[in-house]
Amino acid sequence: QVQLVESGGGLVQPGGSLRLSCAASGSIFSIADMRWYRQTPGKQRELVAAITGGGNTIYADSVKGRFTIARDNAKNTVYLQMNSLKPEDTAAYYCNADLRTTVIPGTGSYWGQGTQVTVSS
């Protein structure tokens, strides 16, 4: 019914930039908060950045000043602009959204399949 599809990951050199996108599609009525998480093998998934429906944002301390989260409500899409990338940013990045569908009552939390970001020279 609902799909979140990430794109934009890849291999980049330290100091480089990438922009991740996550498009939500399906039987969507409304989307509230949208978030980006990341995870490396053997570690817990961590919150990178979040944005509310009204555009308020929060960031993990490790990415403040380097990453920017934004959303296009008309396209049901959230973005993560990543600048000044470091090797420690290497991870699988996941999109998450709290949304209401036209089919199921209430708000549910939905996840994308993840996109790999590798920062290496």
Side-chain angles (χ1 to χ4, degrees):
Q1 295 171 349
V2 173
Q3 277 192 314
L4 272 62
V5 179
E6 299 105 333
S7 60
L11 173 65
V12 63
Q13 291 187 340
S17 298
L18 282 176
R19 189 176 84 147
L20 305 183
S21 300
C22 171
S25 63
S27 306
I28 297 170
F29 178 75
S30 63
I31 303 178
D33 297 352
M34 303 184 83
R35 309 172 189 89
W36 286 98
Y37 286 81
R38 65 186 181 188
Q39 188 172 25
T40 54
K43 292 190 176 181
Q44 283 192 329
R45 195 169 291 189
E46 66 167 344
L47 178 66
V48 175
I51 185 167
T52 67
N56 294 318
T57 59
I58 61 168
Y59 296 93
D61 287 342
S62 59
V63 307
K64 281 181 182 176
R66 300 188 298 122
F67 290 11
T68 302
I69 189 170
R71 63 191 286 170
D72 184 334
N73 292 329
K75 295 181 179 180
N76 290 337
T77 299
V78 62
Y79 306 95
L80 186 67
Q81 178 66 44
M82 305 185 295
N83 299 328
S84 303
L85 282 161
K86 305 175 181 179
E88 50 264 44
D89 294 318
T90 296
Y93 284 71
Y94 296 89
C95 159
N96 169 251
D98 296 335
L99 60 87
R100 296 177 63 189
T101 74
T102 58
V103 179
I104 302 172
T107 300
S109 182
Y110 293 80
W111 291 87
Q113 81 289 350
T115 186
Q116 179 66 33
V117 171
T118 301
V119 185
S120 175
S121 55

